[in-house]
Amino acid sequence: MPEEKVGVVKDYFAKISVAGIDITGKLKVGDTIHIKGHTSDFEQVVESIQIEHDQVEEAKPGDAIGIRVSERCRGGDTVFKVTA
């Protein structure tokens, strides 16, 4: 499936399974993302997005967001949006 780069993981918070991501493209709730790095490689649907602990439906370039992830990821991993 075609993919478009939408961000980079800055931090991963293991206790709460949340990735802190700097966004370079548009991302919204319901999108499928693919996180890929040296040891990370998984896809999942974005179920919620938070900016400064506030729930939002969409993130735009320049936003720093937090999303719950299904697997471990690391700072520097690339975040792609899977496009249909």
Side-chain angles (χ1 to χ4, degrees):
M1 284 194 169
E3 296 180 340
E4 137 192 20
K5 182 178 175 181
V6 292
V8 176
V9 175
K10 283 297 170 195
D11 276 310
Y12 173 70
F13 304 96
K15 286 190 178 196
I16 55 175
S17 297
V18 168
I21 301 170
D22 285 342
I23 295 295
T24 58
K26 285 191 173 184
L27 187 67
K28 62 180 187 277
V29 172
D31 285 345
T32 300
I33 58 170
H34 177 200
I35 296 180
K36 183 149 177 58
H38 292 296
T39 58
S40 312
D41 190 1
F42 64 95
E43 285 188 13
Q44 75 169 57
V45 174
V46 176
E47 294 177 1
S48 70
I49 299 173
Q50 287 191 347
I51 299 176
E52 297 291 326
H53 304 287
D54 292 326
Q55 289 285 121
V56 296
E57 288 296 310
E58 189 171 333
K60 61 190 181 318
D63 286 343
I65 68 167
I67 63 167
R68 187 164 293 240
V69 289
S70 58
E71 296 183 31
R72 181 177 200 89
C73 56
R74 286 159 185 78
D77 289 356
T78 306
V79 181
F80 298 95
K81 178 165 68 172
V82 179
T83 56

